[in-house]
Amino acid sequence: MGGGMLGAAAARALAADGGSVVLYESAPALGGLTSAWRLEVPDGTSVTWDRFYHVIVGNDRRVLALVDELNVGPVVWNSARAACYAGDRQYPASSGGELLALPFLGTMAKLRIALTVAWGALWSSPERFDRITAARWLRRWSGSEATERLWLPLLRAKLGRRAEEAAATFIWATIRRLVTARFQGGDSDRFGHVPGGYAVVLGALANRLQRDGVEVRTASQVHRVARTEHGLEVELGDGSVDRYDKVLVTTAAPITARLCPDLSSTERTRLNEVPYLGVICPSVLLRRPAAGAYISYVTDPKPFTAVIEMTALVDPAELGGHHLVYLPRYTAPDDPAFDTTDDQLRQEFLGVFLPMYGLTEADVLSFSVARARLVLPVPTPGYLSRVPDVVTTVPGLFVVGSAQIVDGTLNVEQTLKLLDDAWPRLGVAAGTPPVRQAGQHLRGMVQ
């Protein structure tokens, strides 16, 4: 199993249940999509922060419980502003009043947007939204004007060429999470973070795993998980083989299909057919602020799909007095941009970003690019009937991963919820032998 947040949390839970647990991770350290990295500054100093952007919202009870248990809090809460960048201008978009003031939408379109958000937030089950595409549902409730001028550009920004294929469950889950955050935070979105970012959480989690007796094998790339007469064999990239009674794999669905050749043809097809998006996400360290809003939704055609200004939420003092901006592009896993050099992406991204906010190259202290080809599974209509099962046809082999998210969007809270949902299916509660874990994190799988 991979050593991302899901794998590490599962290892801890299984060890607490009395199991003897081995956790494999192909990267040098735990974390996966929540891992941290160091951004070098020209003066010889550096800033350590999350490789990809993350926030905590008020109803992320699993994340908050983990932070409390690891004693790495308290969480710092702030009201983070949102904005919409359209027609080469930025407009505030945090409150209902600001949304109603957007000049590129008519009054009726704005009212229908409000109705759409209210309807999506109040509905508690995904089944109704599984039968229709997001684009069709939005046109039905928000109308053509709001859909074409606001919703579809935002969907394309997040889902790329799969925007009009996605089921309405995607927009429903997004609305519910953000509306809940707004209710928790009053007039603006109330977002939180752990001082020091997820590097602090992961460090404490790694120490807890060690204390609980979990054997963590980092820099260990799993090549194959196969059933033999002796049980399940985990073959590593160096040719060595370990044997276990049970194995839990938490990689992205297509990688799981490749790792586990003994799965049935139906299981392998189901895993391989889950549509995924990847992300190319530069971290830009600046001398001064940029947008002034935590998230700026970009509806104009740009090389990035949003502007995430982390230091609109996090005190710049935590980052050496500097300002951190993420410029994510969600795109297909086969996008040639994944093979583009950092220098080429720097020229492309900064050539657009800096003029947007009156910045210059002199304001840029650091530019580093994080890439992950298989990040976000995109639900299409009818996906609820095609979700990969936790229990496989291979005795002792279990699968838990992002492809099983059906009532939320990809974030740390939903990742931890996957484990809660899968736990009864793992057989642990019934007193059967604990699951040992094998696999590797998606980031190592796609290098």
Side-chain angles (χ1 to χ4, degrees):
M1 166 163 51
M5 189 60 71
L6 173 59
R12 183 176 172 219
L14 292 165
D17 202 64
S20 174
V21 182
V22 178
L23 174 62
Y24 293 87
E25 165 59 48
S26 67
L30 298 179
L33 294 175
T34 55
S35 63
W37 63 356
R38 189 168 59 186
L39 305 174
E40 303 291 343
V41 181
D43 64 6
T45 62
S46 63
V47 169
T48 298
W49 201 258
D50 304 338
R51 187 181 300 267
F52 300 96
Y53 58 96
H54 305 281
V55 294
I56 302 170
V57 299
N59 66 328
D60 283 352
R61 61 180 181 84
R62 296 169 182 83
V63 177
L64 293 171
L66 179 64
V67 168
D68 184 60
E69 291 167 13
L70 295 175
N71 195 30
V72 293
V75 172
V76 177
W77 297 97
N78 278 306
S79 293
R81 305 296 293 173
C84 182
Y85 195 93
D88 287 324
R89 287 191 60 189
Q90 180 145 314
Y91 302 95
S94 293
S95 67
E98 288 173 345
L99 288 171
L100 289 174
L102 292 175
F104 56 88
L105 291 172
T107 301
M108 184 56 67
K110 295 170 184 175
L111 292 175
R112 294 190 68 170
I113 289 171
L115 176 64
T116 303
V117 171
W119 172 246
L122 291 172
W123 202 263
S124 60
S125 173
E127 282 78 9
R128 175 182 293 267
F129 301 90
D130 178 60
R131 302 190 296 266
I132 187 173
T133 66
R136 185 177 176 187
W137 183 79
L138 289 167
R139 288 188 178 98
R140 176 183 298 175
W141 285 91
S142 289
S144 296
E145 180 186 356
T147 300
E148 298 300 328
R149 295 187 181 181
L150 181 67
W151 288 120
L152 275 182
L154 294 178
L155 279 175
R156 293 187 187 109
K158 187 70 173 179
L159 301 179
R161 69 189 187 193
R162 295 197 181 276
E164 299 206 39
E165 302 172 18
T169 47
F170 179 84
I171 195 68
W172 164 78
T174 301
I175 288 172
R176 280 181 57 83
R177 178 171 171 82
L178 293 180
V179 168
T180 300
R182 186 172 301 283
F183 283 142
Q184 295 274 343
D187 291 335
S188 298
D189 294 315
R190 183 173 178 259
F191 289 161
H193 74 284
V194 173
Y198 269 98
V200 174
V201 178
L202 291 167
L205 184 54
N207 291 336
R208 182 64 62 88
L209 290 174
Q210 183 179 24
R211 191 188 76 182
D212 291 347
V214 175
E215 183 181 349
V216 179
R217 300 184 185 177
T218 54
S220 297
Q221 185 170 358
V222 172
H223 178 67
R224 186 171 67 102
V225 179
R227 185 76 189 178
T228 72
E229 59 181 297
H230 304 292
L232 286 164
E233 290 188 345
V234 175
E235 180 183 338
L236 301 178
D238 62 5
S240 62
V241 175
D242 297 324
R243 293 186 176 91
Y244 301 103
D245 296 325
K246 295 187 178 183
V247 172
L248 172 61
V249 180
T250 63
T251 53
I255 297 172
T256 301
R258 191 173 77 222
L259 277 178
C260 305
D262 296 330
L263 293 171
S264 70
S265 60
T266 299
E267 288 170 318
R268 290 168 62 83
T269 297
R270 180 167 290 190
L271 290 166
N272 280 320
E273 288 183 347
V274 177
Y276 271 83
L277 285 176
V279 65
I280 298 168
C281 188
S283 292
V284 187
L285 206 61
L286 299 168
R287 297 183 188 276
R288 57 193 179 100
Y294 166 68
I295 182 167
S296 298
Y297 302 100
V298 178
T299 63
D300 294 348
K302 304 288 183 187
F304 41 86
T305 54
V307 175
I308 310 295
E309 188 163 3
M310 186 56 61
T311 37
L313 177 67
V314 177
D315 189 335
E318 290 194 47
L319 294 100
H322 309 306
H323 299 265
L324 176 61
V325 172
Y326 296 94
L327 301 175
R329 175 197 289 176
Y330 291 91
T331 187
D334 59 355
D335 189 328
F338 279 106
D339 300 316
T340 302
T341 67
D342 286 9
D343 286 342
Q344 290 170 315
L345 291 175
R346 177 185 179 120
Q347 183 177 6
E348 179 186 5
F349 279 56
L350 293 187
V352 173
F353 166 69
L354 296 178
M356 288 171 61
Y357 298 105
L359 299 167
T360 68
E361 277 283 352
D363 294 311
V364 180
L365 296 170
S366 175
F367 182 93
S368 301
V369 183
R371 299 170 175 84
R373 289 183 187 265
L374 298 173
V375 173
L376 180 66
V378 181
T380 52
Y383 185 71
L384 289 178
S385 66
R386 306 191 302 273
V387 177
D389 200 354
V390 171
V391 181
T392 74
T393 57
V394 180
L397 179 62
F398 301 86
V399 172
V400 179
S402 57
Q404 291 157 344
I405 295 176
V406 296
D407 58 354
T409 57
L410 183 63
N411 52 67
V412 178
E413 175 69 15
Q414 281 295 321
T415 297
L416 297 177
K417 182 177 182 296
L418 281 173
L419 179 61
D420 283 356
D421 293 343
W423 191 256
R425 305 294 309 282
L426 298 179
V428 178
T432 58
V435 179
R436 294 198 179 200
Q437 308 171 61
Q440 64 206 65
H441 192 267
L442 124 76
R443 182 160 53 86
M445 296 292 293
V446 298
Q447 287 176 343

